[in-house]
Amino acid sequence: MSFMTKPKVAHPSLPRNELGLTRRDYEGGMSTLCAGCGHDSITAALIEAVWSLSLRPQDIVKLSGIGCSSKTTAYFASGAHGFNGVHGRMPSIATGAIAANRDLHYVGISGDGDSLSIGFGQFAHAIRRNINMLYVCENNGVYGLTKGQFSASADIGTKAKKGEVNQQPPIDPALAALSLGCTFIARSFSGDKEQLVPLLQAALSHPGFAMVDVLSPCVTFNDHEGSTKSYQFVRDHYDELVHTDFVPLRSEIKVDYAPGEALPVTLHDGSHVVLRKLDPSYDPTDRGKAFEYIRTKQAQGEYLTGLIYIDEQSPDFHEVQGSVATPMNRLPYEKLSPGNAGLQKILQRYR
Amino acid sequence: MEPTDVRNPDYYHRVVDCQWACPAHTDVPEYIRLIAMGRFTEAYLVNRDSNVFPGILGRVCDRPCEPACRRGRVEAEPVAICRLKRVAADHRDAVEHLLPQAPPEKNGKRIACIGAGPASLTVANDLMPLGYQVTIFEKWGQAGGLMRTNIPSFRLPAGVLDDEIRYIIDMGVDLKLGTPVNSLDALLKSGEFDAVFIGSGAPKGKDLKIPGRDGTDRIHIGIDWLESVAFDHIKTIGARVLIIGVGNTAMDCCRSSLRMGANSVKVMARKPRGFFKASEWELDDAEEENVEIVVNHAPKAFVTQGGKLTGMLFEEMEYDLVEGRITGERVKGEVVISCDDVILAIGQENAFPWIERDLRIEFDKWNVPKVDPVTHQSTLPQVFFGGDAAFGPKNIIWAVEHGHQAAISIHQYCQGLPVAERPPPMVTLSSRKMGIHEWSYKNDYNPVERRLMPHVSLKERFKKLNIEVELGFTPEQAEAEVQRCLNCDVQTVFDAKLCIECDACIDICPVDCLTMTPNGTEEELRPRLKAPATNKNQPLYVSAALNMTGRVMVKDEDLCVHCGLCAERCPTAAWDMQKSTINIPHASDGKNPWSKPQRKTA
Ligand SMILES: Cc1cc2nc3c(=O)[nH]c(=O)nc-3n(C[C@H](O)[C@H](O)[C@H](O)COP(=O)(O)OP(=O)(O)OC[C@H]3O[C@@H](n4cnc5c(N)ncnc54)[C@H](O)[C@@H]3O)c2cc1C
Ligand SMILES: Cc1ncc(C[n+]2csc(CCOP(=O)(O)OP(=O)(O)O)c2C)c(N)n1
Ligand code: SF4
Ligand code: SF4
Ligand code: SF4
Ligand SMILES: [Mg+2]
């Protein structure tokens, strides 16, 4: 945290996106998180991702619950819409907003506590409905905001700052999402922007629920020896499985890959992700195999990162519901409201 | 790249662009902070430590620091370093009791300085506190050299000169005015002096030998003409004046002409704009006074009628320009421009008619003495040169620096020590951390633009020759301008052992100075940094290998605004903001009540 705001002065060579905006134009308020918090690096990656996709700030909706992680929404894209909901209830707000307006880009930010404890039910149903949003779980293994209690993602045997050892088995958000039918599942690390930024770009372009679990060390309560979510431990135990290169719309796929090694996937808006499999036997489109693979790695104490699973075919919420394409705020009142006569007609059906 | 050796005093010194560019290495950010705190006297003394003449230089310095200033790269305009120097001088209290004093007991060594210009005066300033007896011989009746005889009083008031010369002379210098040295041989043979410093300047203005030159007294040599103006020997000039040349002298000649009665003054330039020797601000000041600057005119002949100068014939030139360089030129035609007087301002030469050529002082084929560029010693060991006399015409701040270096040499020489053995510069660092988010310097970036110097109105300024045109910054202007300095001496100091590679510093840096990346050669690293480091004049800082990934932390010093946010955001204090003090050795170190170790830094 700083008392001084980041000065507006910028490097003259700072590149501009299609809208003529620089990365600096997508910044938000000054972070009040602890210095060195992984969450702040994720913020920087989010800024890079929304800037590079040339999203108009006013077309972005930032949603979050409660936690240090959930404060992230205040720290980027200050020109965007935002809703800071109740602890763990961000998915219902997102569902409502998405139902009402499918033209905007939805960025949900949550924590391991927010998503896997109090908000677990909400998380599950948002996945099940395949609402079209980027959902970032900033995963530090603790309740940072309430001073470092173990969260549901804490591994068995991991030590708290004062020394007590966690006995409860963890909920792995990636495994949970896989079993719930999530259509885009990735894991990354706050300290690896080269991996994280293209994953966020791809997730933002995915037509459905895109869950990105980001290991994000809590410098204050969970960065000590004995913790399995410290900078040191994550660096020592993370294992990239599928490297993702994001190829924006209208750009050619220029990267050369040996056959069999790379798998280009076209996203619904015409952009691509090129998946570079670091283990050729892995298939990121096979849910069953993915499940098994993560389980094995988990047993070996490794964090599997990269794009774990992708399904571009399953229908999203709007397709299933047949919801109206025009944002509701642009529908004329007469269409939105059936009026008394219409209401009577509906009620008649239940008589 | 190898990890940067920050113990080399030049590393952090280079980061302080202004101080590095200043020939005398004035501690600019330190005095600017002192001004910001209202400590004008201290700001003055910090200046005086290095540049000896803050009041003079605050008005007329060539200011090589300003084009070098980092602020000029971060936005368009550099900090008004020079004008702030004047603020310190204008608002200082009495300083006499704070200045170096000569000890009552002398060390028995006598030094002769020839010429009372800034170079000799600096030598005296540095040697008097050590107990030397210094005699200055000056041909004119007043001290100051070209600062007195050539720089017009509307730029540099006599009172300012008097005060700062007095501070030196009052230490007990034996100033012999109206005493030209006509023979160095005689001076050496007198046996009165242990060493001689020659600071006689580059006193000869170049002539222009083209047809029509002879037979009229209306063609003047610029520096001689300015001298006559300064000494009141000339009181008027014709209505229409042509100035030949566009250097510093030309600028003073054209503006002085306007004050001597001319109403149409043209500065005739052989080349296009961009090839002038005069600084941008000098051109602005002249044009503000309606001086016309005529480009692409090469002088061919003076036109006279019956012994009376009526005009000048010029060739109209055309140039081919490729990337700012002239690749071809041709004459397009000829034109006569009428005038009453011509002033030649096409350069100066050294001249030493009073130095006999058999004294073992070697001269090169251009009649310039062979002088060691570091020690300023000539080939005759007890004779030293400095200022314009040493390497040709430069400027005041170079003359001062030459004086400092010559004083060190003379001190070594008089103690029987080798002159080439010189005290090294030193750097000390001290943290500016006060609390988690608190620094003992103002680290916020202030976007305020450069303040403009207020001038006396065009109507008023020509009434008398000596009306100073620049009024100096108002308190409000000074208050704003000091905030533009980025405190480049508050260094980002990195400790690789402490870094946990969290990216916080990288993410917060407003100007993308920082990158963690696998090591490589400089050519590999520069383009792959977060913001490519294209300014090759600015160093890269490269850390030792980091603990977790073996990558290195690289900092491009180019555009760092010294905001300290990297240090604020670092969870392990791997970055710290530390003020570097560059101790530039002077002969009188330790004898000066204001020499650095005794002063509390700002
Ligand atoms: C018109 C003009 C304008 C300038 N404007 C600026 C400016 O704005 N800013 C800037 O930084 N610089 C300026 N300069 C340059 C600057 O004035 C000189 O570089 C500087 O004064 C050199 O200092 P010095 O001590 O070497 O010699 P000088 O200042 O030249 O002093 C030499 C002294 O030695 C005396 N002398 C010479 N021979 C003898 C002898 N045999 N015996 C006794 N005395 C002798 C001379 O009378 C003179 O007083 C200007 C120069 C000119 C000509
Ligand atoms: C309904 C409700 N219950 C409990 C809390 C207390 N509380 C605030 S933040 C938090 C945990 C946040 O953990 P996580 O989502 O992992 O965020 P982090 O701070 O670790 O980023 C809890 C339990 C609350 N604010 N609201
Ligand atoms: S910003 Fe200040 S310290 Fe930096 S170069 Fe300019 S004057 Fe010097
Ligand atoms: S002080 Fe640090 S954060 Fe500020 S500009 Fe310099 S490197 Fe960047
Ligand atoms: S903020 Fe500190 S610990 Fe983090 S990467 Fe920068 S120097 Fe290293
Ligand atoms: Mg948490």
Side-chain angles (χ1 to χ4, degrees):
Chain A
M1 134 169 212
S2 294
F3 288 155
M4 180 185 117
T5 52
K6 182 167 173 174
K8 282 283 169 241
V9 58
H11 199 284
S13 75
L14 204 59
R16 294 185 178 274
N17 66 11
E18 284 168 22
L19 304 174
L21 300 177
T22 71
R23 201 190 323 119
R24 299 293 307 274
D25 296 318
Y26 288 84
E27 286 176 355
M30 209 52 185
S31 170
T32 55
L33 302 179
C34 305
C37 179
H39 299 349
D40 281 338
S41 301
I42 301 172
T43 307
L46 281 163
I47 289 172
E48 185 75 27
V50 290
W51 166 78
S52 65
L53 292 176
S54 298
L55 303 187
R56 299 196 313 160
Q58 61 269 40
D59 290 346
I60 300 171
V61 184
K62 306 175 293 182
L63 303 132
S64 65
I66 297 292
C68 296
S69 36
S70 291
K71 291 168 79 174
T72 295
T73 45
Y75 309 141
F76 73 98
S78 48
H81 307 276
F83 199 109
N84 192 204
V86 195
H87 199 11
R89 268 64 169 188
M90 173 266 279
S92 13
I93 313 242
T95 308
I98 290 167
N101 187 341
R102 60 163 81 181
D103 283 357
L104 304 176
H105 303 277
Y106 293 87
V107 180
I109 312 281
S110 178
D112 42 326
D114 198 62
S115 289
L116 306 177
S117 296
I118 194 167
F120 200 44
Q122 299 249 330
F123 175 66
H125 286 278
I127 291 177
R128 181 177 150 263
R129 291 194 172 109
N130 202 21
I131 53 177
N132 186 3
M133 73 182 297
L134 160 62
Y135 188 102
V136 179
C137 177
E138 301 185 349
N139 187 347
N140 55 14
V142 287
Y143 295 167
L145 192 67
T146 53
K147 294 194 181 295
Q149 302 84 350
F150 288 127
S151 79
S153 75
D155 297 296
I156 296 183
T158 191
K159 276 206 187 98
K161 200 173 184 178
K162 290 261 170 72
E164 75 267 38
V165 175
N166 178 45
Q167 312 285 1
Q168 307 280 356
I171 298 174
D172 178 334
L175 280 179
L178 262 175
S179 65
L180 289 165
C182 186
T183 52
F184 184 112
I185 302 165
R187 175 147 49 217
S188 189
F189 168 42
S190 64
D192 186 358
K193 288 202 191 66
E194 273 173 50
Q195 185 192 49
L196 179 55
V197 172
L199 285 174
L200 293 173
Q201 290 169 321
L204 280 161
S205 308
H206 170 75
F209 195 88
M211 200 281 298
V212 185
D213 176 33
V214 191
L215 297 162
S216 174
C218 168
V219 271
T220 303
F221 298 112
N222 207 7
D223 194 36
H224 43 268
E225 219 168 295
S227 156
T228 60
K229 297 253 182 338
S230 66
Y231 279 106
Q232 183 76 60
F233 189 92
V234 176
R235 289 228 184 259
D236 290 347
H237 294 84
Y238 93 123
D239 188 352
E240 192 175 42
L241 172 68
V242 179
H243 184 84
T244 309
D245 292 309
F246 179 77
V247 186
L249 183 65
R250 287 190 292 276
S251 313
E252 273 177 74
I253 304 177
K254 278 199 239 78
V255 219
D256 262 345
Y257 297 105
E261 189 195 76
L263 178 68
V265 176
T266 309
L267 303 176
H268 83 303
D269 64 357
S271 53
H272 296 82
V273 282
V274 179
L275 307 180
R276 213 168 352 119
K277 297 185 282 174
L278 303 178
D279 175 347
S281 73
Y282 189 73
D283 180 359
T285 60
D286 184 328
R287 195 179 291 275
K289 284 224 184 97
F291 200 87
E292 198 186 310
Y293 204 96
I294 304 182
R295 287 297 300 252
T296 322
K297 283 287 174 187
Q298 203 179 38
Q300 294 164 0
E302 292 287 298
Y303 289 117
L304 209 59
T305 65
L307 210 166
I308 293 169
Y309 179 75
I310 183 165
D311 163 12
E312 286 293 294
Q313 309 311 324
S314 296
D316 83 328
F317 168 79
H318 294 293
E319 217 176 312
V320 172
Q321 294 298 318
S323 58
V324 58
T326 313
M328 288 188 186
N329 60 359
R330 272 185 257 146
L331 289 176
Y333 180 74
E334 309 75 66
K335 278 213 155 177
L336 271 179
S337 163
N340 195 25
L343 183 63
Q344 292 309 327
K345 237 158 109 189
I346 294 169
L347 287 177
Q348 203 55 46
R349 297 218 297 262
Y350 300 99
R351 292 222 164 98
Chain B
M1 289 174 77
E2 287 294 310
T4 304
D5 180 12
V6 293
R7 286 165 314 173
N8 177 350
D10 282 356
Y11 183 77
Y12 287 131
H13 190 177
R14 263 183 86 180
V15 175
V16 194
D17 286 303
C18 49
Q19 192 176 10
W20 181 254
C22 173
H25 304 304
T26 305
D27 193 347
V28 175
E30 177 78 3
Y31 83 67
I32 292 183
R33 278 190 299 271
L34 287 166
I35 293 172
M37 296 176 203
R39 290 157 68 183
F40 301 110
T41 305
E42 288 163 79
Y44 180 84
L45 292 167
V46 165
N47 265 289
R48 197 182 181 282
D49 248 7
S50 311
N51 59 47
V52 187
F53 304 106
I56 296 171
L57 290 164
R59 293 172 164 82
V60 300
C61 189
D62 247 2
R63 30 196 192 264
C65 52
E66 292 194 13
C69 170
R70 173 163 286 110
R71 182 85 185 202
R73 299 194 296 276
V74 170
E75 52 160 86
E77 293 287 339
V79 175
I81 300 171
C82 184
R83 272 58 194 273
L84 288 172
K85 197 187 305 298
R86 175 171 170 185
V87 169
D90 285 354
H91 298 280
R92 72 185 188 270
D93 301 324
V95 293
E96 280 82 346
H97 60 293
L98 298 167
L99 298 178
Q101 304 291 323
E105 62 292 343
K106 302 297 167 191
N107 68 5
K109 305 282 182 189
R110 293 174 168 275
I111 312 298
C113 292
I114 302 175
S120 290
L121 288 166
T122 303
V123 171
N125 179 69
D126 286 9
L127 293 182
M128 287 303 290
L130 296 167
Y132 286 88
Q133 282 159 286
V134 180
T135 303
I136 299 181
F137 296 93
E138 168 56 50
K139 152 173 98 180
W140 294 111
Q142 279 176 299
L146 290 177
M147 304 190 295
R148 176 82 64 188
T149 61
N150 264 246
I151 300 184
S153 50
F154 59 83
R155 286 209 291 132
L156 178 57
V160 175
L161 257 175
D162 293 341
D163 281 346
E164 292 190 330
I165 293 174
R166 182 167 47 80
Y167 294 158
I168 298 168
I169 303 302
D170 281 359
M171 277 190 277
V173 175
D174 180 16
L175 174 64
K176 293 194 184 306
L177 294 174
T179 315
V181 173
N182 295 318
S183 160
L184 182 60
D185 191 30
L187 188 80
L188 292 172
K189 285 211 176 102
S190 75
E192 265 187 74
F193 299 102
D194 297 278
V196 177
F197 175 78
I198 298 179
S200 56
K204 214 166 147 263
K206 287 188 187 153
D207 205 340
L208 185 62
K209 297 280 189 215
I210 51 174
R213 172 67 184 89
D214 302 317
T216 164
D217 59 358
R218 304 298 289 265
I219 301 169
H220 318 277
I221 305 276
I223 65 166
D224 298 341
W225 183 77
L226 286 169
E227 197 174 273
S228 306
V229 171
F231 289 135
D232 265 352
H233 299 156
I234 290 184
K235 297 211 164 52
T236 57
I237 197 161
R240 300 162 306 162
V241 180
L242 296 184
I243 317 281
I244 310 302
V246 220
N248 315 55
T249 308
M251 293 299 107
D252 284 337
C253 290
C254 65
R255 296 179 67 195
S256 294
S257 299
L258 289 170
R259 287 157 176 83
M260 307 300 288
N263 54 36
S264 155
V265 180
K266 293 187 169 72
V267 172
M268 306 303 297
R270 179 187 289 270
K271 291 183 179 166
R273 254 176 203 268
F275 294 88
F276 300 166
K277 283 224 179 85
S279 327
E280 210 44 57
W281 63 84
E282 288 178 303
L283 295 166
D284 290 347
D285 289 344
E287 289 187 311
E288 179 187 320
E289 297 183 355
N290 295 321
V291 169
E292 192 184 341
I293 294 170
V294 182
V295 298
N296 301 349
H297 279 64
K300 194 165 181 203
F302 297 97
V303 182
T304 50
Q305 269 171 13
K308 189 170 174 288
L309 180 73
T310 59
M312 250 187 110
L313 176 67
F314 292 91
E315 288 178 341
E316 293 176 296
M317 306 296 294
E318 197 172 68
Y319 296 94
D320 303 322
L321 290 174
V322 176
E323 283 168 9
R325 283 183 34 242
I326 293 178
T327 55
E329 58 173 68
R330 68 198 71 80
V331 178
K332 263 188 353 188
E334 288 186 353
V335 60
V336 172
I337 298 181
S338 48
C339 66
D340 304 310
D341 284 89
V342 171
I343 302 178
L344 301 173
I346 51 177
Q348 281 160 263
E349 287 167 329
N350 291 45
F352 303 98
W354 49 277
I355 300 183
E356 292 80 357
R357 297 301 138 113
D358 57 357
L359 299 177
R360 284 186 289 127
I361 298 179
E362 286 176 36
F363 285 79
D364 65 15
K365 59 178 182 234
W366 296 283
N367 247 334
V368 176
K370 287 190 181 162
V371 179
D372 184 289
V374 176
T375 65
H376 292 258
Q377 199 171 35
S378 72
T379 50
L380 186 63
Q382 70 270 40
V383 176
F384 300 83
F385 282 79
D388 289 357
F391 313 109
K394 287 195 166 159
N395 55 34
I396 301 169
I397 190 65
W398 270 114
V400 168
E401 176 58 10
H402 290 175
H404 283 316
Q405 293 307 322
I408 291 174
S409 299
I410 292 169
H411 188 37
Q412 292 287 94
Y413 175 79
C414 288
Q415 297 174 93
L417 300 170
V419 291
E421 238 167 60
R422 313 181 76 75
M426 309 262 268
V427 57
T428 52
L429 292 168
S430 70
S431 179
R432 285 298 178 248
K433 199 176 178 96
M434 304 269 288
I436 305 182
H437 313 293
E438 237 183 304
W439 304 98
S440 60
Y441 74 106
K442 204 156 182 292
N443 58 326
D444 202 355
Y445 181 88
N446 192 323
V448 65
E449 284 170 12
R450 185 177 164 116
R451 303 289 94 185
L452 293 177
M453 176 57 69
H455 286 175
V456 173
S457 74
L458 280 174
K459 235 167 85 197
E460 283 303 309
R461 69 173 74 158
F462 298 114
K463 287 188 173 159
K464 270 199 336 230
L465 178 67
N466 61 0
I467 295 176
E468 188 176 13
V469 172
E470 297 191 348
L471 289 167
F473 278 155
T474 63
E476 293 74 28
Q477 286 182 304
E479 197 185 348
E481 190 64 35
V482 288
Q483 297 307 330
R484 300 184 69 241
C485 174
L486 302 171
N487 301 290
C488 298
D489 62 337
V490 183
Q491 309 277 354
T492 55
V493 177
F494 186 67
D495 185 348
K497 292 190 303 296
L498 297 177
C499 176
I500 57 169
E501 302 181 46
C502 70
D503 268 13
C505 54
I506 316 269
D507 295 336
I508 197 68
C509 177
V511 282
D512 298 321
C513 296
L514 308 175
T515 310
M516 283 189 283
T517 180
N519 206 343
T521 63
E522 184 165 355
E523 294 67 47
E524 287 163 1
L525 286 177
R526 280 189 175 270
R528 92 159 101 97
L529 300 184
K530 193 169 178 209
T534 49
N535 183 355
K536 297 256 169 68
N537 296 324
Q538 288 284 318
L540 293 187
Y541 165 84
V542 179
S543 76
L546 300 174
N547 292 330
M548 291 190 192
T549 60
R551 294 178 296 175
V552 285
M553 177 71 77
V554 183
K555 181 188 176 206
D556 177 12
E557 297 286 2
D558 189 17
L559 296 177
C560 170
V561 294
H562 298 262
C563 63
L565 283 175
C566 49
E568 261 183 48
R569 276 301 170 94
C570 179
T572 64
W575 286 111
D576 189 23
M577 301 308 290
Q578 300 186 3
K579 181 191 153 46
S580 62
T581 304
I582 320 289
N583 283 304
I584 304 293
H586 294 141
S588 55
D589 281 350
K591 299 286 173 195
N592 178 346
W594 265 84
S595 66
K596 287 134 207 152
Q598 292 155 45
R599 178 174 21 95
K600 194 176 171 299
T601 55

